[in-house]
Amino acid sequence: MTIAVDDELWSAIGDPIRRRLLDLLLAEGVGTPTSLSDRLPISRQAVTKHLGVLDRAGLVHATPMGRERRYEVDEAQLARAVRQLNEVGRTWDARLNRIKRIAEQIQRQKHD
């Protein structure tokens, strides 16, 4: 079974600050741009921008709370990302095993 890789999803996850935001949200359950910026070396505005990228990729969703928004991880979308990563890993393992077999065959032919 081949799972299509979602480039927008992986682009969102590819940034270390966004991965840290996901880690914080997973550990704490929910967070606001203000509470998250207190835990990171970036401004509230930068956190808001990163959360917007994660939201567009479907990795988090926001609920209005007064003047701020509460963010939480969309666990179904995160599980989808994990499945994609596992599939990519299996694909590369198979490719590397084929390369190894070819290299071993070449080595055997050199010694014959």
Side-chain angles (χ1 to χ4, degrees):
M1 172 175 99
T2 300
I3 297 175
V5 174
D6 182 335
D7 290 335
E8 184 176 18
L9 176 71
W10 288 103
S11 177
I13 292 173
D15 183 89
I17 292 290
R18 290 193 284 269
R19 286 194 306 273
R20 181 71 180 125
L21 283 168
L22 287 171
D23 288 342
L24 289 170
L25 289 171
L26 285 167
E28 298 173 9
V30 296
T32 64
T34 300
S35 69
L36 293 165
S37 67
D38 289 343
R39 310 270 312 274
L40 295 167
I42 60 174
S43 69
R44 181 190 171 286
Q45 290 78 14
V47 167
T48 300
K49 182 179 174 184
H50 284 292
L51 288 168
V53 172
L54 292 171
D55 192 22
R56 285 189 297 280
L59 288 162
V60 300
H61 52 270
T63 306
M65 185 184 85
R67 293 168 45 112
E68 282 210 282
R69 298 173 68 83
R70 284 174 56 153
Y71 287 85
E72 57 189 308
V73 173
D74 183 316
E75 294 194 20
Q77 183 73 329
L78 188 59
R80 182 172 162 255
V82 169
R83 285 192 307 274
Q84 286 183 15
L85 182 58
N86 287 333
E87 178 66 23
V88 168
R90 282 190 294 276
T91 299
W92 275 102
D93 285 346
R95 289 175 181 165
L96 292 172
N97 282 330
R98 282 195 301 272
I99 291 169
K100 179 183 176 196
R101 285 192 305 273
I102 291 168
E104 289 170 345
Q105 183 179 15
I106 291 169
Q107 282 294 79
R108 282 192 302 274
Q109 289 172 351
K110 284 184 178 180
H111 290 98
D112 289 341

